[in-house]
Amino acid sequence: MAMAPVIKLVLGSIAFAIFWVLAVFPSVPFLPIGRTAGSLFGAMLMVIFQVITPEQAYAAIDLPILGLLFGTMVVSIYLERADMFKYLGTLLSWKSKGPKDLLCRVCLVSAVSSALFTNDTSCVVLTEFVLKIARQKNLPPHPFLLALATSANIGSSATPIGNPQNLVIAVQSKIPFWEFLLGVFPAMIVGITVNAMLLLGMYWRLLSDHKEDEEEVQDADAELVAEEDVTSHRFSPATFSPVTSEDSNLRMDAAETLRNRAGSAGENELISCNSNASREQQTDAESQGESNNTNNMFQTKRWRRVLWKSSVYLITLGMLISLLMGLNMSWTAITAALALVVLDFKDARPSLEKVSYSLLIFFCGMFITVDGFNKTGIPTALWDLMEPYAKIDQAKGTAVLAVVILVLSNVASNVPTVLLLGARVAASAMGREEEKKAWLLLAWVSTVAGNLTLLGSAANLIVCEQARRAVSHGYTLTFTKHLKFGLPSTLIVTAIGLFLIK
């Protein structure tokens, strides 16, 4: 592609630079409008600067990707209502055998849930739960928060619905769901294992020290509970007053008087007692009937709830099976979402209001902005310089390509990187198999690259913000703590995938 005229090249670069700054640093002091408004601002500048026409801007919006993203978000919302993520959270603490076992569970649960329900959704739902468990067990939170965020990114790489950049790759490459899963799954499994081992190696001593503290706290709690039980159920010895003969006579006279009064009033009291007893029996029967009705209503509601939750799980399973069979991913996700809406049989507005429409709008603006930047010819010129050194049929070329994707994903964010490089990387491959490998490598590296820094992926930022805002047990995951683990983990896990993805 030839370079655009100088004026278009300069104006298009300015528009893309503004979009990039607002996407990576959404709260910059000179224009703190956020990522969503920043993407629309960049798209508007591309049209105003006449880098692209309005018709080209509309055509740049990829509706299948938006449909797939919308459908998976709606399904995730109904799964959350059906307590799916609550059950996943319960798995974290069920028969846990200590801090190291808990850390491995966080890695596994985070990876699996992210592959099926997107990494962002998993991090939103599981962050506060993980933080609460760490606080309850007197454990340092940051190893577990790092395990949640990094495992979510690695796990999401295995499926087209795991993260936004995979959605883009799956739609543009037309790789079937099943082939995508088979291509990346081995790398994901080994990557999760290595990532967990790195976490254990780096924080082994920290977790071991806190294990002793945890045992001491548990013993103290047990002693406190035991002491409270003893205090609340303490018995005091009975005290008796000495009895004199005069007291005895007085008591006998009083007893005789009471017996006489009882004889005269006995008949009247007997009639009154019979009347009261009949009323009490009638009242008891009525209350028993009301209690039975309440129990029946409760049982009915309970079974309706169980039936509804089972239906939600079955529809989600049907969606996954349809995706594995190679059906259209966008319409499969939308169909599953609408089936859940109809099954709920109530106004869907409360559930649909939870959809992240700001993310959908961000994608629209980003599609237009990236398409305008592509039309300047700059990405093509840069790729022409790199292409001879980035051939995936050679180990050296694969490594160079991985470094380029790794850097761009952290500089320009992973989704814009995929939009900029995807078609070019695939076009440089020789044959269908190499093209498929190029797409899968792009998915793997651009996703794992999110673990490099705290700003590398939205999942990292979600974990950081959710942990910081937790009301009773807030924690701030700093940029330095994330980088200390993220740098070695990203380099090692990325390298593993380069050898395993075929």
Side-chain angles (χ1 to χ4, degrees):
M1 179 180 179
M3 296 289 285
V6 177
I7 185 66
K8 281 190 176 183
L9 190 148
V10 173
L11 293 176
S13 299
I14 292 173
F16 184 79
I18 292 174
F19 159 76
W20 176 81
V21 170
L22 294 176
V24 179
F25 308 104
S27 300
V28 289
F30 62 86
L31 197 63
I33 60 176
R35 290 187 178 89
T36 302
S39 71
L40 290 178
F41 188 55
M44 180 197 69
L45 290 178
M46 286 292 183
V47 176
I48 290 177
F49 291 160
Q50 297 184 354
V51 179
I52 57 176
T53 64
E55 290 75 17
Q56 290 173 328
Y58 288 126
I61 299 174
D62 200 324
L63 291 178
I65 294 174
L66 295 179
L68 181 56
L69 193 58
F70 172 79
T72 53
M73 283 193 287
V74 174
V75 171
S76 297
I77 289 167
Y78 278 93
L79 283 172
E80 184 179 357
R81 283 184 53 195
D83 297 332
M84 169 64 78
F85 295 100
K86 178 183 176 182
Y87 298 145
L88 289 176
T90 304
L91 287 176
L92 295 178
S93 56
W94 183 64
K95 293 186 178 180
S96 178
K97 298 180 180 179
K100 302 176 185 69
D101 175 56
L102 179 61
L103 189 71
C104 293
R105 291 190 186 203
V106 171
C107 291
L108 180 61
V109 170
S110 176
V112 172
S113 61
S114 296
L116 298 177
F117 314 118
T118 78
N119 53 354
D120 294 351
T121 301
S122 298
C123 290
V124 166
V125 176
L126 294 177
T127 297
E128 193 164 350
F129 192 89
V130 169
L131 187 61
K132 185 177 180 181
I133 292 177
R135 291 296 195 191
Q136 285 177 344
K137 294 181 177 294
N138 193 34
L139 296 170
H142 66 274
F144 300 94
L145 295 177
L146 287 172
L148 175 63
T150 56
S151 299
N153 286 328
I154 297 172
S156 70
S157 65
T159 63
I161 60 174
N163 56 62
Q165 63 268 22
N166 279 14
L167 296 177
V168 175
I169 290 172
V171 172
Q172 290 188 351
S173 67
K174 295 181 173 58
I175 298 176
F177 190 99
W178 179 248
E179 291 184 17
F180 195 110
L181 177 63
L182 286 180
V184 183
F185 187 75
M188 187 271 282
I189 290 294
V190 178
I192 286 294
T193 304
V194 171
N195 189 66
M197 292 173 63
L198 289 172
L199 280 165
L200 289 173
M202 185 171 290
Y203 297 108
W204 184 274
R205 181 175 297 178
L206 185 64
L207 295 175
S208 299
D209 292 341
H210 278 76
K211 182 178 180 181
E212 297 176 1
D213 296 342
E214 179 189 356
E215 291 174 353
E216 292 175 1
V217 171
Q218 288 176 346
D219 292 342
D221 290 343
E223 292 175 2
L224 181 61
V225 171
E227 184 178 349
E228 290 175 352
D229 289 342
V230 170
T231 303
S232 60
H233 294 92
R234 184 172 296 158
F235 292 93
S236 57
T239 56
F240 295 96
S241 301
V243 180
T244 62
S245 59
E246 292 180 1
D247 293 335
S248 177
N249 293 333
L250 288 172
R251 289 181 184 180
M252 290 177 64
D253 292 340
E256 184 68 24
T257 304
L258 287 174
R259 280 196 293 269
N260 293 334
R261 290 179 181 176
S264 62
E267 297 179 0
N268 294 332
E269 288 181 359
L270 181 61
I271 297 172
S272 176
C273 287
N274 290 336
S275 176
N276 291 336
S278 63
R279 284 200 210 98
E280 288 177 1
Q281 290 176 357
Q282 183 178 358
T283 304
D284 290 343
E286 290 176 356
S287 4
Q288 184 69 26
E290 291 177 0
S291 176
N292 291 335
N293 291 335
T294 303
N295 289 335
N296 291 336
M297 289 176 62
F298 176 77
Q299 290 292 335
T300 303
K301 288 182 178 180
R302 181 174 176 272
W303 280 110
R304 283 180 181 175
R305 174 72 176 168
V306 171
L307 181 61
W308 179 79
K309 288 165 65 173
S310 302
S311 301
V312 171
Y313 300 150
L314 286 174
I315 290 175
T316 305
L317 181 62
M319 181 189 78
L320 295 175
I321 293 174
S322 301
L323 292 173
L324 290 173
M325 291 172 61
L327 299 181
N328 184 283
M329 286 189 284
S330 299
W331 284 106
T332 298
I334 292 173
T335 302
L338 291 177
L340 292 174
V341 168
V342 173
L343 177 69
D344 199 25
F345 207 67
K346 63 176 66 170
D347 188 1
R349 183 174 59 182
S351 296
L352 295 180
E353 284 177 350
K354 296 181 180 179
V355 172
S356 180
Y357 295 104
S358 61
L359 180 62
L360 298 176
I361 295 172
F362 172 80
F363 265 74
C364 292
M366 182 178 59
F367 287 141
I368 296 171
T369 306
V370 172
D371 187 64
F373 188 58
N374 280 332
K375 284 183 167 50
T376 63
I378 294 177
T380 302
L382 293 175
W383 178 249
D384 289 341
L385 292 175
M386 292 296 304
E387 185 179 6
Y389 309 100
K391 298 289 186 181
I392 63 171
D393 56 350
Q394 300 175 358
K396 182 180 178 181
T398 303
V400 170
L401 178 61
V403 171
V404 171
I405 298 171
L406 195 66
V407 173
L408 278 179
S409 295
N410 280 275
V411 172
S413 188
N414 39 30
V415 179
T417 297
V418 167
L419 291 172
L420 287 170
L421 293 182
R424 294 175 178 85
V425 171
S428 66
M430 304 295 292
R432 173 60 183 169
E433 286 302 316
E434 280 199 7
E435 180 182 345
K436 174 184 168 184
K437 181 181 178 181
W439 282 112
L440 296 180
L441 283 175
L442 180 60
W444 173 255
V445 179
S446 64
T447 301
V448 177
N451 287 338
L452 184 62
T453 68
L454 190 61
L455 302 175
S457 76
N460 297 345
L461 295 173
I462 288 170
V463 169
C464 180
E465 285 299 305
Q466 292 279 103
R468 185 178 63 84
R469 294 177 182 178
V471 177
S472 59
H473 40 267
Y475 180 83
T476 300
L477 180 63
T478 63
F479 184 91
T480 306
K481 283 184 177 179
H482 189 284
L483 183 64
K484 180 182 177 182
F485 174 75
L487 179 60
S489 172
T490 301
L491 296 178
I492 294 172
V493 173
T494 300
I496 290 172
L498 300 182
F499 287 101
L500 294 178
I501 292 177
K502 303 297 182 183

